[in-house]
Amino acid sequence: MPSPEDINEEIPSPSKGITPSTRHYSGLGPILEMPSSAFRVICHLDMDAFYASIEQRDTPALRGRPVIVGAPPTQRGVVCAASYEARKFGVRSAMPSATAGRLCPKGVFVRPRMERYSEESRAIMRLVAESGAIIEPMSIDEAYLDLSAPCQMEDADASLRAALPVARDLKQRIASERHLTATIGIAANKLLAKIASDHQKPDGLTLIAETKKTQFLRPLPVRALFGVGKVTEQVLHQAGLRTVGDLQDYQGDLRALVGSFGRKLKEFAFGQDDRPLELGDEIKSISGEETFLRDTEDRRVLRACLKTQAADIADKLRRRRLGAHTVQVKVRYGDFTTLSRQISVEEPITEANEIYRVGCFLLGREKLVNRPLRLLGLGVSNLHEPQAKQLALL
């Protein structure tokens, strides 16, 4: 099993060879301008079981108990989030509440309070902004931080270690001011920073050194790499490629297995990733809708329509290597009255069956099919990188 970089190692003094200038990013304060040869320092901050942790903080009687945020198992509903105590029983986001109740009979079901979670997210991001980092928010409970400018040292690993005090201070402030825990990963790029934050949860701090990244990655499952979803994972397994080390050692052309993604996958296997933080416009949503020739409330027709839309959305998510935190449905009746409803979950959804299930739940919960429909639509939004679901070290 690989071990993270010793995070207690002494921090060297800044390199005297770098003379920074100052520029400003909106809302972030002064940021150092870096020379083209600067070493990258990227952090991934991930709040631990965010929705459930807020409920446990706000209601002390829930602490240490398996908390499931979502509708109770006796009602039609889905799981929005689960505490670590509940996850041990296999409970996860987008799962039907009834299934969660069977898996975790002693689970405490709590109705979601999205406004409360959003309010808390804004408070945490204000603390993050005070660190002086350039920020790419990924979802309500995670973000990438670029600390390259203020952490420049004489080499790549020293620069990474210079971010440790910033990360420790940020974790301490979140704990003392918000009474929540966060896990932070530090590395030279987004790929490795995300893997680092997944390495020691909850309340972890992991640094992956540039000089040790190849060795660190070797025993991880291929699913740990960005862009490797369920379908790609199955293809790689069929070719006998189960670990990142297998990808590193593979002598063939990965494009024969995974198409144009093969070249990038090989780079990822060696910890190479040049993706910048996305600070501008990006794809906001993916959706589809169908207008029927005749208004209908036939459940078979509507289910078939939703399944087709869910499959198309999942395919687009897979090609863009994204996951969705929000699912919404849209209906239009014969009189052109149009309604839409949505629900958000903590862990991103990527699979067609999950999108379909949540869509059906929304239609049922809101009783939207109470008369024939002229149009039915399904969509996803709040799109970000999906969490790797198989990160346990082999």
Side-chain angles (χ1 to χ4, degrees):
M1 178 183 297
S3 59
E5 180 77 352
D6 179 6
I7 63 174
N8 295 312
E9 187 168 345
E10 182 180 356
I11 309 298
S13 300
S15 172
K16 297 180 179 179
I18 297 176
T19 305
S21 59
T22 302
R23 60 179 172 177
H24 287 77
Y25 290 84
S26 178
L28 299 179
I31 298 293
L32 298 179
E33 184 79 55
M34 296 183 297
S36 59
S37 60
F39 303 109
R40 295 186 75 197
V41 179
I42 307 297
C43 299
H44 181 261
L45 179 142
D46 194 1
M47 298 302 299
D48 300 320
F50 190 51
Y51 297 0
S53 293
I54 291 173
E55 298 299 340
Q56 290 175 320
R57 179 198 64 186
D58 292 353
T59 307
L62 296 178
R63 294 172 188 172
R65 303 182 66 184
V67 174
I68 302 171
V69 180
T74 55
Q75 300 178 12
R76 179 182 301 192
V78 296
V79 174
C80 294
S83 69
Y84 286 104
E85 296 86 352
R87 294 181 190 184
K88 293 178 181 178
F89 293 88
V91 180
R92 58 182 177 82
S93 294
M95 173 182 288
S97 294
T99 302
R102 289 193 297 270
L103 291 173
C104 187
K106 295 184 179 180
V108 182
F109 284 79
V110 179
R111 294 282 186 181
R113 301 182 294 160
M114 295 308 301
E115 290 186 4
R116 183 74 182 93
Y117 309 148
S118 297
E119 176 187 10
E120 189 62 47
S121 176
R122 288 191 292 270
I124 290 169
M125 290 305 165
R126 284 194 292 269
L127 294 180
V128 174
E130 292 173 10
S131 71
I134 301 172
I135 305 171
E136 179 189 356
M138 295 301 294
S139 66
I140 195 172
D141 63 344
E142 65 174 319
Y144 283 109
L145 318 179
D146 190 331
L147 287 168
S148 303
C151 292
Q152 287 302 294
M153 300 293 171
E154 68 270 16
D155 59 41
D157 286 351
S159 298
L160 294 174
R161 289 193 295 270
L164 286 169
V166 180
R168 290 194 188 102
D169 179 69
L170 185 54
K171 282 169 55 65
Q172 191 277 328
R173 290 194 66 189
I174 291 173
S176 62
E177 297 181 31
R178 308 312 309 168
H179 304 290
L180 297 169
T181 63
T183 295
I184 298 179
I186 304 173
N189 55 54
K190 295 171 73 172
L191 169 79
L192 294 175
K194 179 68 169 62
I195 290 174
S197 70
D198 284 326
H199 183 68
Q200 295 188 84
K201 288 185 69 69
D203 199 21
L205 175 58
T206 300
L207 184 154
I208 300 179
E210 274 292 276
T211 53
K212 298 180 180 179
K213 63 183 180 182
T214 301
Q215 177 186 358
F216 185 94
L217 290 171
R218 283 192 68 81
L220 298 182
V222 293
R223 189 69 178 267
L225 297 179
F226 172 68
V228 178
K230 184 177 181 180
V231 174
T232 302
E233 179 188 44
Q234 290 174 347
V235 171
L236 295 174
H237 282 184
Q238 290 171 359
L241 304 174
R242 294 186 171 275
T243 69
V244 178
D246 293 334
L247 292 173
Q248 293 174 356
D249 298 338
Y250 187 65
Q251 298 300 310
D253 190 341
L254 287 173
R255 289 177 295 183
L257 300 176
V258 295
S260 59
F261 181 50
R263 182 184 63 82
K264 184 60 68 175
L265 179 60
K266 192 73 169 185
E267 293 177 358
F268 286 170
F270 284 95
Q272 301 169 10
D273 178 20
D274 58 3
R275 289 175 298 152
L277 268 64
E278 299 291 341
L279 305 177
D281 295 334
E282 58 184 17
I283 182 170
K284 301 295 184 182
S285 64
I286 298 174
S287 62
E289 57 186 42
E290 180 176 345
T291 300
F292 304 111
L293 292 175
R294 295 184 179 84
D295 296 356
T296 182
E297 56 184 338
D298 187 320
R299 265 50 176 183
R300 291 172 300 178
V301 172
L302 299 179
R303 283 195 293 267
C305 177
L306 277 182
K307 285 183 178 178
T308 299
Q309 292 171 351
D312 182 58
I313 291 170
D315 181 63
K316 291 177 180 177
L317 287 173
R318 183 165 53 250
R319 284 190 276 115
R320 291 174 171 84
R321 310 192 190 286
L322 295 170
H325 288 271
T326 301
V327 177
Q328 56 267 344
V329 294
K330 173 183 175 182
V331 299
R332 180 171 296 145
Y333 303 105
D335 61 0
F336 288 90
T337 298
T338 303
L339 300 175
S340 63
R341 296 291 185 270
Q342 67 180 36
I343 189 171
S344 295
V345 297
E346 189 173 75
E347 299 174 26
I349 296 173
T350 59
E351 305 298 328
N353 63 335
E354 295 176 327
I355 299 169
Y356 168 75
R357 183 169 60 242
V358 176
C360 288
F361 157 68
L362 286 170
L363 289 176
R365 184 188 70 176
E366 303 294 333
K367 297 181 174 57
L368 296 178
V369 191
N370 53 32
R371 48 186 162 133
L373 300 183
R374 176 184 179 85
L375 175 147
L376 176 61
L378 180 66
V380 295
S381 58
N382 197 4
L383 308 180
H384 303 289
E385 295 178 16
Q387 300 280 353
K389 295 184 179 180
Q390 299 181 11
L391 289 177
L393 300 182
L394 301 180

